[in-house]
Amino acid sequence: MGEKAPKPGFEKLVIATHNDGKLKEINELISPFGIEAVSAKKIGLNDPEETGKTFAENAILKAAAAARGSNLPALADDSGLEVAAIGGDPGIFSARWAGEARDFAMAMKKVEKALKETGSADCKARFVCVLCLAWPDGEQEIFEGEIHGRLTFPPRGDKGFGYDPIFIPDGYDVTFGEMDPAEKHAMSHRANAFRKLTKAVFE
């Protein structure tokens, strides 16, 4: 992406997540831009209840709450796995399928079980990411990204997080869980959304 300076007033950013894997990935994406990033968890902000019916609505809820609570620009990500054969589930409930303990091994078993119950051989899936950049004055910007692929079981690899070990992106034969993080970051749903954000904010 190259070195670019952030816009004035955008030297510090709250990442509105308590998900350590997501925080690490977003930090790696913003590191070239000289922005000091701090997590909502670190500064004591609670996650708001995700009452939205879409990824965008939930991203807005989280980013707006973090911007108000910190009086800083805030970036929120709402993302998930959509599996065609089970009606797009787990979708916006992707994290909730893992329960309070964020047990994604259990969540991946739920996906496998749901697929088997359909009797379908269709393993097509996509990851979706919506980023919301919110400012303390109420301004908001939305950026969306996705990547298509297929599911595989049992899970493979330990380099990613969430559902990465069961997702093989189109054109590849390895899962996100097996892929080198730099390679994943160049092509993932989050990277695709982030490219749109950087074009709007840094270019």
Side-chain angles (χ1 to χ4, degrees):
M1 296 178 194
E3 296 287 342
K4 297 178 184 178
K7 287 184 175 180
F10 193 38
E11 289 77 27
K12 190 170 184 178
L13 178 69
V14 176
I15 309 299
T17 185
H18 286 219
N19 180 318
D20 290 338
K22 187 179 291 187
L23 176 65
K24 180 176 183 292
E25 195 164 293
I26 292 174
N27 265 321
E28 288 171 354
L29 288 166
I30 68 172
S31 63
F33 300 101
I35 298 170
E36 180 186 352
V38 60
S39 71
K41 180 180 180 180
K42 186 173 182 179
I43 60 176
L45 297 178
N46 293 324
D47 274 339
E49 185 178 358
E50 295 183 22
T51 56
K53 295 181 180 179
T54 65
F55 291 114
E57 289 177 2
N58 283 330
I60 290 168
L61 281 170
K62 291 185 283 188
R68 287 194 304 268
S70 65
N71 201 36
L72 290 166
L75 179 66
D77 162 310
D78 202 61
S79 52
L81 177 71
E82 295 185 339
V83 183
I86 55 175
D89 284 340
I92 63 168
F93 303 108
S94 291
R96 277 167 271 187
W97 275 39
E100 289 293 327
R102 291 294 190 261
D103 184 348
F104 279 94
M106 175 187 72
M108 288 184 281
K109 287 178 181 177
K110 285 184 179 180
V111 171
E112 183 178 17
K113 181 174 183 287
L115 262 177
K116 285 181 177 177
E117 288 174 351
T118 68
S120 172
D122 181 5
C123 289
K124 290 195 296 291
R126 68 171 185 163
F127 271 124
V128 178
C129 171
V130 176
L131 297 175
C132 177
L133 179 60
W135 304 81
D137 64 5
E139 182 184 351
Q140 298 164 357
E141 297 182 75
I142 293 289
F143 309 94
E144 301 183 19
E146 62 181 43
I147 186 167
H148 292 257
R150 67 189 189 280
L151 301 185
T152 187
F153 299 97
R156 294 169 11 203
D158 59 3
K159 293 181 181 177
F161 68 97
Y163 296 93
D164 284 357
I166 61 172
F167 183 82
I168 300 175
D170 286 346
Y172 289 77
D173 57 9
V174 296
T175 69
F176 269 174
E178 297 171 299
M179 191 176 287
D180 180 87
E183 187 173 11
K184 177 194 169 185
H185 293 167
M187 62 181 292
S188 74
H189 52 307
R190 190 163 290 111
N192 290 335
F194 196 79
R195 267 189 283 273
K196 296 176 183 177
L197 182 153
T198 55
K199 185 175 182 180
V201 175
F202 299 105
E203 294 182 1

